[in-house]
Amino acid sequence: MEITEHIGQNMQQYPLLPYSQLVWDMMQVEPDIYNFIFTLRVPKTAADIASIKNAFTLSLSNHPVFSMRVDGKGMQSYRPFDDILNGQFHSVRFEDKKDYTDIHICGNRILGDNVSGRILMEDICRAYQGLELEKDYYLDYLEWVEEYKKSDIYEKHRQWFDREFSTPCPVHPQTDLPLSSHIRAIEGIKIEDFSAYREKIQAVSEKYIVSVSALFSLAAAMAIMQYNGTDKAALTWAYEGREKPMEQRIFGSMHRDIPLKIEAQTNKEGLFRQIRTQMRQGIAHNLYPYTLIKPNTERWNYAVNVLAMPSNKEILDMMPFEAEVIVPDSEHLAYSLLDIEIYDGQQLTLLYRYSATHYKEQSIERFAGLVRKNIEWLCD
């Protein structure tokens, strides 16, 4: 099954991609959930505003997801909007001021993942400089996915996940407030700096052939066991996917939250062997989005999720014009129970995004302390 080039306008309806479906279901209860709002402030002396607007128009037009419409049943179809800067789940508005222009941007997570943001920024930069944009094969990918779902290998992937994760074990630190409590979840944030451990982390990663993401996933899984007093634990980690050449320039929610489980042991080599095996096998079977399909979501939606995040500075440095990013200061909803975001830029930091409704600050402090101790031990 190969992805073939799509020509012309496609009126066919497709199911949403797994993560987009998850967001869509959440939006039925909380319509504004996963809306990301920020402003790019561009000095008029630093850029040609008309060219910037044209670059946004060309770039959004180049990615079919911005022309998709989702109906009440959660089915999407390609029907371009009259104004590509304003769609069902995004808007780009230019506000002219005396010395600068504000570009007000709103986008919803239903449209794409973290890699997608980098792809779009690259396209805006290329369009601004008059360079050709590479084709986005989103529609062809949707067709391929629907065919793949009918294959025997897709079913074999499902069976593997069912066997591997059939035995229950904790997937997050025990909450202070029961998950069944119907209270609006407000986000809390805790930042931990691991820059002082960078050299040791790099050395251990090379010695045991594990990524930085794998190392922190292992430390977090161990911390869940230690926090809950169990001998095994599981969590999920964000895999970017985009393995086929034609998937490289797709703006869409193509990543997978792949589950992994770790059993307690005192032997470091054994722990590293577990994390390598779990991640490799997870990748091998990742085309079945196990954690994003009902009824599995009832468990895995609450799992700790480890994400290696792109550097915002690197993305901004790509821009061929000067711009200041302004993010509104407001209270945010918690989109997950507990995410651990890894930022490996000038500094190596972990950002804990958690539901402050379900966890007390001191509980997250305790959990983060366990993760740090595990990193120290694993890197010793």
Side-chain angles (χ1 to χ4, degrees), residues 1 147-159:
M1 291 179 290
E147 286 300 311
Y148 192 79
K149 288 178 182 178
K150 303 172 187 176
S151 69
D152 291 339
I153 188 65
Y154 188 78
E155 173 60 19
K156 289 179 180 178
H157 290 328
R158 182 193 68 77
Q159 292 172 1

Side-chain angles (χ1 to χ4, degrees), residues 29 54 66 74 82 92 120 128 151 156 186 204 220 233 251 256 259 265 272 275 315 331 348 352 359 366 369 376:
V29 179
N54 183 59
F66 293 104
D82 292 336
V92 180
L120 182 62
Y128 182 79
S151 69
K156 289 179 180 178
I186 302 301
V204 167
F251 191 113
R256 302 276 193 267
Q265 62 181 94
F272 282 116
I275 195 69
I315 293 175
E331 188 176 62
L348 176 59
Y352 293 84
Y359 287 112
R366 178 188 166 202
E376 291 173 349

Side-chain angles (χ1 to χ4, degrees), residues 7 148 195:
I7 301 176
Y148 192 79
S195 301

Side-chain angles (χ1 to χ4, degrees), residues 13 28 44 131 135 139 162 218 224 248 251 270 344:
Q13 287 192 317
Q28 307 316 297
K44 290 186 176 179
L131 301 175
K135 183 177 175 61
L139 293 173
D162 283 344
L218 174 57
I224 294 172
Q248 300 303 308
F251 191 113
D344 192 0

Side-chain angles (χ1 to χ4, degrees), residues 51 54-55 58-59 122-131 133:
S51 295
N54 183 59
L58 291 174
S59 299
E122 290 172 356
D123 276 6
I124 291 171
C125 295
R126 290 182 64 83
Y128 182 79
Q129 298 173 83
L131 301 175
L133 304 183

